[in-house]
Amino acid sequence: MTTMTIRVPDALEKEHDETIRLIAAKLYEAGKLKLREAAEMCQMEKWDFAEILILYGVHYLDESAAEDLETYNHAQSG
């Protein structure tokens, strides 16, 4: 992964993680990132990031997301 530096207002300094999650969610929604890539950007597991998408009103567009959630749910129940 490449590191980028962006300039944001000082008010977002305390919201660093949330800002990264929002950017990753919107890039995923735009089809620029796969679920795995967006999750990596946030240093999260795919199924944890899938929950973040719900918070931002982003629907699963990647078929692998549904498969990953099914695998996660199966692991939790077993």
Side-chain angles (χ1 to χ4, degrees):
M1 224 176 234
T2 298
T3 300
M4 286 181 127
T5 302
I6 61 170
R7 295 176 51 91
V8 297
D10 292 337
L12 291 179
E13 182 178 0
K14 294 179 183 176
E15 306 297 329
H16 176 271
D17 291 344
E18 185 175 342
T19 302
I20 297 299
R21 290 175 185 155
L22 175 62
I23 292 169
K26 290 302 180 178
L27 288 170
Y28 174 80
E29 182 178 43
K32 302 293 183 184
L33 296 176
K34 294 181 179 177
L35 184 66
R36 175 189 52 80
E37 295 167 327
E40 284 178 9
M41 186 174 162
C42 298
Q43 298 179 344
M44 301 175 81
E45 296 293 331
K46 288 191 286 188
W47 47 83
D48 293 330
F49 183 73
E51 292 178 12
I52 296 298
L53 293 175
I54 294 167
L55 296 175
Y56 292 112
V58 176
H59 298 283
Y60 304 120
L61 303 176
D62 185 341
E63 290 179 17
S64 68
E67 293 170 9
D68 291 336
L69 285 174
E70 185 176 317
T71 300
Y72 174 75
N73 288 332
H74 181 68
Q76 292 297 330
S77 64

